[in-house]
Amino acid sequence: MNIIVYSTDTCPWCTKAKDYLKSKGIDFKEVNVGTDREGAMEMVKKSGQNGVPVIDIDGNIIVGFDQGRIDSLV
């Protein structure tokens, strides 16, 4: 399973999403779009969104922290 969490350091919902995945023992790659311009452009291309968090689970895009949707995909 390939999971990418696009986030920023100051986003409380990003922290909640990452903490939730960690609590379930799920590995993920974090892309800080505040410091990674290429990562930010990749996120917008995938999701059409500028806001974070954006979570990519095997190509399924979740905008925001949607615990139910995360659970249904992992």
Side-chain angles (χ1 to χ4, degrees):
M1 182 173 298
N2 185 30
I3 301 175
I4 304 171
V5 178
Y6 297 92
S7 64
T8 64
D9 292 335
T10 58
C11 164
W13 288 106
C14 300
T15 301
K16 288 183 189 306
K18 292 181 287 188
D19 287 348
Y20 181 69
L21 290 169
K22 287 175 192 170
S23 76
K24 300 203 45 113
I26 298 169
D27 290 329
F28 61 90
K29 175 185 172 189
E30 180 179 358
V31 176
N32 184 332
V33 299
T35 58
D36 183 343
R37 179 161 166 69
E38 194 173 299
M41 293 188 317
E42 177 182 289
M43 177 191 79
V44 172
K45 184 177 179 183
K46 286 182 181 181
S47 68
Q49 300 291 316
N50 287 315
V52 287
V54 171
I55 305 167
D56 178 345
I57 301 176
D58 289 334
N60 297 287
I61 304 301
I62 303 170
V63 177
F65 175 49
D66 184 339
Q67 186 174 323
R69 184 108 191 278
I70 292 169
D71 287 344
S72 73
L73 292 169
V74 293

